[in-house]
């Protein structure tokens, strides 16, 4: 049984939490957000709730993996804190906002012997594969600009 905590309870964080709850081989033990449970509509959750990553990581809960689903600017800081606490990390994209911060995360994961994984759920989806083939085969010629609107 892999034990998870999810930091950030916006749309994506709630989705991570729900997918963990549905997996019989995993257990969600905690969620964390700067907003209150009431403001997030999480009054009925069974998991422990925290308002800061520091409180979560210092709670002595048994956690194997920390999913970071916060605004992008917090990804690097929170990933490094989780790795320092000897947790594996799942990061929503982007891993970090700068190359330097991304390298710090990777270095810390190697130093702590913990895995870091970035979510790339659409990388191998049929439309993505098809578009990549169009570009690689130059079916559309030389591409100088792309505008993409993605409606979920």
């Amino acid at each position: 049984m892999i034990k998870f905590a999810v930091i950030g309870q916006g749309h994506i964080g709630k989705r991570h939490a729900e997918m963990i709850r549905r997996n019989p081989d995993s257990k969600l033990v905690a969620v964390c957000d700067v907003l209150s449970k009431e403001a997030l509509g999480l009054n009925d959750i069974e998991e422990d709730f925290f308002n800061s990553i520091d409180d979560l990581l210092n709670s002595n809960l048994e956690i194997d993996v920390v999913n970071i689903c916060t605004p992008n600017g917090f990804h690097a800081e929170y990933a490094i804190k989780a790795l320092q606490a000897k947790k594996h990390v799942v990061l929503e994209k982007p891993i970090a906002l700068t190359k330097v911060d991304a390298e710090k995360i990777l270095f810390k994961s190697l130093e702590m012997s913990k895995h870091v994984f970035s979510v790339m759920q659409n990388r191998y989806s049929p439309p993505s594969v098809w578009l990549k083939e169009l570009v690689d085969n130059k079916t559309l010629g030389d591409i100088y600009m792309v505008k993409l609107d993605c409606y979920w």
Side-chain angles (χ1 to χ4, degrees), residues 9-10 14 21 31 33 35-46 49:
Q9 286 297 291
K14 286 178 179 175
R21 286 183 190 110
V31 295
D33 199 284
L35 297 177
S36 69
K37 283 172 76 169
E38 296 75 27
L40 294 163
L42 299 177
N43 294 331
D44 298 334
I45 64 168
E46 296 177 14
F49 183 87

Side-chain angles (χ1 to χ4, degrees), residues 7 53-54 57 66 68 70 73-91 95-112 114-116:
I7 300 174
I53 184 173
D54 295 322
L57 295 175
V66 174
I68 299 173
T70 61
F74 295 105
H75 288 190
E77 175 189 349
Y78 290 177
I80 290 168
K81 284 184 177 193
L83 290 164
Q84 286 172 329
K86 299 183 174 133
K87 311 301 180 198
H88 298 289
V89 173
V90 172
L91 275 164
I95 292 172
L97 295 181
T98 67
K99 179 180 181 237
V100 169
D101 281 346
E103 289 171 341
K104 286 178 185 177
I105 293 167
L106 294 175
F107 179 79
K108 185 56 74 177
S109 75
L110 293 170
E111 181 183 28
M112 303 306 293
K114 294 297 173 183
H115 297 291
V116 174

Side-chain angles (χ1 to χ4, degrees), residues 1-2 6-7 15-17 35 38 40 56 60 69 72 77-78 100 107 109 111 123 129 131-132 135 141:
M1 180 75 55
I2 301 171
V6 177
I7 300 174
R15 189 116 168 93
H16 277 245
L35 297 177
E38 296 75 27
L40 294 163
L56 169 70
N60 294 321
C69 305
N72 302 343
E77 175 189 349
Y78 290 177
V100 169
F107 179 79
S109 75
E111 181 183 28
R123 187 174 189 178
V129 170
L131 288 169
K132 175 92 169 83
V135 171

